[in-house]
Amino acid sequence: MKIELRIPTMEDKDGLKAVCNAVDRKYLSDRLPYPYSDEDAEWWINMVSENDGRTGVWRLIFVDGKLAGNISVEQGQGVYNKDSEIGYFLLTDYWSKGIMTQAVKEICRIAFEKLDIIRITGVYYEPNAASGRVLEKAGFEYEGTRKKGVAKGDRIYDLCMTGLLKETV
């Protein structure tokens, strides 16, 4: 299985739209629009082309040449400018195959190389233990839980926080 992280281009627009509309959103941030439109894809691809390597790193995840997900590390602002936050998603057909762990390790390497950061923060909703395992396997350390820290739809979840320091990579 070949896993590749690629900077998106306009040629990826239709695939990006399809993946963003098909992804399981149960534990995703509400930042990802739904339904995901051509305009959303164009805006995101343009934003990445203007900001990649400056305020974050954003990549599409390809598995054996097929678009399977998305991953990013976005730098904080103000007093949080040495920190960043990782976010990712993968189509369910690709879950539990080690793909996301490999993608997380690679995007963190890229982020530490390109951005002026000293840590990457990873958060996940408490019931999403699989995401926690991905972060742990990629070297993130559990740092604590923000009780009732997330409201998603009509559900309230604890928010688990992890961190990866540059000097440990």
Side-chain angles (χ1 to χ4, degrees), residues 122-124 141-147 158-163:
V123 298
Y124 60 95
E141 292 186 26
Y142 174 77
E143 296 178 338
T145 298
R146 185 179 298 159
K147 297 291 183 185
D158 290 348
L159 185 66
C160 299
M161 295 170 285
T162 67

Side-chain angles (χ1 to χ4, degrees), residues 7-8 43-59 73-75 77 114-115:
I7 296 173
W43 175 88
W44 187 77
I45 292 167
N46 285 327
M47 181 281 301
V48 171
S49 72
E50 293 171 15
N51 295 292
D52 193 77
R54 293 181 39 227
T55 60
V57 289
W58 296 266
R59 299 292 184 270
V73 174
E74 296 183 50
Q75 191 166 355
Q77 298 177 2
K114 292 187 174 285
L115 304 174

